[in-house]
Amino acid sequence: MTASIDAHVRLATHPTHPSAVQAHLTGPQAHVASTALEAAGWSAAATNVLVLARIDHEEPYWAADAAQHLTAEGITVEITPRLQEAIDEEWTWPNYPMPWCTRSEIREVSNQAQKIHDDIRNGHLLIHAHAHDGHTTVAVGTYLHQGGKTVYLHGEDHLRQIADTFDSPAEALVAFENAHAAEMRPGPAPLTDTERAATAARSVFDITTAKPEPPRPQLEAVPIYLADADDHDALLDTFLDTHGEFEKWRTWSDETTHAIHESQTLRIERVHETQARETAWTVAAYETPVSDRMWHLTASGATPAPVLQNLLNHLADGDGWDTVIGVPVGERTVTTATQPLTEAGWKHTLTGHGIRWTSPDGQAGVRFDPLTAQAPRAQPPGPSGPAPTRTGPPGPSPRPRTPRVRYWPTSPKLSPTRPAHASPSRAAAITGPASQPVRRRLRRSRPADPPAVHADHHPRTSGAT
């Protein structure tokens, strides 16, 4: 009695080829069945998937033959109903050139042609030259195994057969050239339609011969100030989802979104679809919901998403926001604020306009103007006033997409979240991986409607849309 092998083979028709058969293997000993099928001419197409695709369209017959051998070895075999119908079907070739052959003899002829095809495909039979004799394709080749003969092939697909043999390749090539000099071409003949279809059938499940995936881009670690701007709108939505103390308000225009803290002393404005160097974010802080603005900062559309994310989260935690209005910024304040830059290796230099900190790679900078910091209202706002401090590569001509983050300690009474187009007085701008934005403790007060401020009025209420 044959010992049972713990493997299961399911034979089914091929999904794309009209006569090919596929075998799906399962079980701890599936490799035993795989080895047996490969020895019978099946091709491994994927893990535990084999395909039988021939040039004589006799796959159902040979699949049934394989099933009998596997069953005899103790392997469980399942044949789908559709494949069983193909196995039971009686058919023959129309206009077969050897009409005296029985069905079994025709199958034997085509099986010999299949072996020649497999020997060529697997590199066992080297084709030296081919030609067309006016009726069909002829070729000459040599078997590469020890003592292999040189053969003259006649016919295509299931009708190809060995018509003659030679003792040496030279002898065969001379004879072939004498017979087909005008049509003789080097190497094997182009694949026939039947051969291409069989190759395609073996490749449907093929994961080993498939084109390799394009290499994935390598992630490059860059400083936070060189990161991509990414999607600012998605960043704001995520911030609002995770910080319930901020409420989203839309203005009469869909171009702008406001995020207002429940205390109404911290307000964030996001201007959508701005250019890279235009102001896309404005943050303003107030001592009370109806007081003058204490400070505000802006960020351009090219500001890296990690910088904005860190800034928003830092603003939201509401710790250490105590900033006394009108108090000059002293040396101790500057030293404390820029300590992270110093620890990160940023170099500081004295310029005619104040103090500048430059990142080690020279691609980002921070500038502090002590004069305006000591007297923040001394410089009247307007186009003639000094430009606000900017971050980015130090130098007179920053790149077009250089991100900017600007901070003003005080300003005139303007819109709560958007500064006037004229440049107010400047104090400092700090960004990058080592930055720590200035913060003020959020003081809770009685909730009120979200404000909208004009240049010469105190805040008044407006509804949400």
Side-chain angles (χ1 to χ4, degrees):
M1 180 177 179
T2 304
S4 176
I5 297 176
D6 193 0
H8 181 275
V9 178
R10 182 178 183 272
L11 301 179
T13 55
H14 194 277
T16 61
H17 193 279
S19 60
V21 177
Q22 55 180 323
H24 292 263
L25 283 54
T26 56
Q29 294 181 293
H31 62 281
V32 177
S34 178
T35 302
L37 290 174
E38 289 186 71
W42 295 63
S43 299
T47 302
N48 290 334
V49 177
L50 291 91
V51 171
L52 180 64
R54 297 169 59 93
I55 59 171
D56 60 358
H57 300 294
E58 295 282 4
E59 293 93 343
Y61 172 85
W62 294 107
D65 182 75
Q68 293 177 2
H69 284 85
L70 293 173
T71 302
E73 294 292 334
I75 298 174
T76 303
V77 178
E78 173 192 358
I79 299 177
T80 63
R82 185 175 178 182
L83 177 57
Q84 188 61 54
E85 291 180 5
I87 293 173
D88 297 336
E89 181 183 6
E90 291 290 340
W91 67 277
T92 188
W93 293 98
N95 302 320
Y96 193 72
M98 295 174 281
W100 58 86
C101 292
T102 65
R103 187 69 182 91
S104 298
E105 291 172 339
I106 292 174
R107 187 175 292 118
E108 179 59 29
V109 171
S110 64
N111 192 44
Q112 292 301 320
Q114 180 68 44
K115 290 180 179 179
I116 295 173
H117 169 79
D118 291 340
D119 287 339
I120 296 173
R121 183 170 67 91
N122 296 324
H124 300 155
L125 176 56
L126 176 64
I127 301 300
H128 305 300
H130 72 277
H132 196 277
D133 66 357
H135 302 283
T136 188
T137 300
V138 293
V140 61
T142 301
Y143 281 95
L144 300 181
H145 57 76
Q146 186 70 26
K149 291 285 188 177
T150 299
V151 295
Y152 175 74
L153 304 176
H154 182 276
E156 299 175 351
D157 298 332
H158 64 288
L159 296 176
R160 181 159 45 189
Q161 56 186 309
I162 298 176
D164 202 354
T165 60
F166 299 86
D167 293 330
S168 69
E171 180 186 0
L173 285 170
V174 170
F176 193 81
E177 185 175 4
N178 291 336
H180 309 288
E183 301 294 334
M184 182 176 176
R185 299 290 184 273
L191 295 178
T192 65
D193 292 342
T194 300
E195 290 173 325
R196 283 194 294 268
T199 300
R202 287 187 290 267
S203 303
V204 168
F205 308 94
D206 198 345
I207 60 175
T208 59
T209 61
K211 294 182 179 179
E213 295 183 1
R216 295 182 179 180
Q218 297 294 326
L219 296 179
E220 180 184 0
V222 298
I224 194 172
Y225 49 78
L226 295 181
D228 294 333
D230 211 350
D231 189 343
H232 284 193
D233 291 334
L235 189 150
L236 177 60
D237 291 339
T238 302
F239 172 78
L240 292 173
D241 290 341
T242 55
H243 295 85
E245 66 274 19
F246 283 84
E247 187 173 0
K248 181 178 180 179
W249 290 80
R250 299 299 293 266
T251 63
W252 60 271
S253 171
D254 289 336
E255 298 177 356
T256 304
T257 298
H258 293 263
I260 302 178
H261 190 266
E262 59 187 6
S263 68
Q264 298 200 20
T265 58
L266 182 66
R267 302 159 196 173
I268 302 171
E269 179 189 72
R270 161 71 177 139
V271 181
H272 308 283
E273 299 182 2
T274 58
Q275 298 298 320
R277 300 187 64 184
E278 295 178 351
T279 296
W281 296 80
T282 304
V283 181
Y286 300 81
E287 188 170 16
T288 69
V290 294
S291 65
D292 290 344
R293 186 167 56 188
M294 295 195 309
W295 60 262
H296 78 278
L297 62 84
T298 64
S300 68
T303 305
V307 173
L308 286 173
Q309 184 177 16
N310 289 343
L311 173 62
L312 293 176
N313 291 337
H314 206 63
L315 294 171
D317 67 19
D319 184 23
W321 280 62
D322 296 321
T323 301
V324 182
I325 300 178
V327 176
V329 178
E331 179 180 356
R332 177 176 298 180
T333 304
V334 174
T335 301
T336 301
T338 59
Q339 183 64 31
L341 299 179
T342 303
E343 294 175 352
W346 289 43
K347 305 298 181 182
H348 75 278
T349 56
L350 299 177
T351 67
H353 299 284
I355 307 174
R356 180 188 295 278
W357 286 263
T358 306
S359 64
D361 58 9
Q363 307 244 4
V366 175
R367 188 173 61 195
F368 172 71
D369 189 334
L371 296 180
T372 54
Q374 294 297 328
R377 291 186 183 272
Q379 299 278 359
S384 60
T389 302
R390 78 184 65 170
T391 65
S397 301
R399 293 173 299 177
R401 292 187 61 83
T402 297
R404 299 178 178 180
V405 177
R406 303 172 176 176
Y407 167 71
W408 292 265
T410 58
S411 65
K413 285 183 282 188
L414 301 172
S415 169
T417 56
R418 182 185 297 197
H421 290 290
S423 300
S425 59
R426 66 190 176 189
I430 300 176
T431 187
S435 64
Q436 295 291 334
V438 180
R439 300 188 298 173
R440 172 184 175 272
R441 185 179 302 280
L442 298 175
R443 297 187 175 90
R444 294 181 177 269
S445 61
R446 181 183 60 83
D449 292 332
V453 178
H454 295 277
D456 54 353
H457 293 82
H458 285 290
R460 57 185 175 84
T461 60
S462 63
T465 59

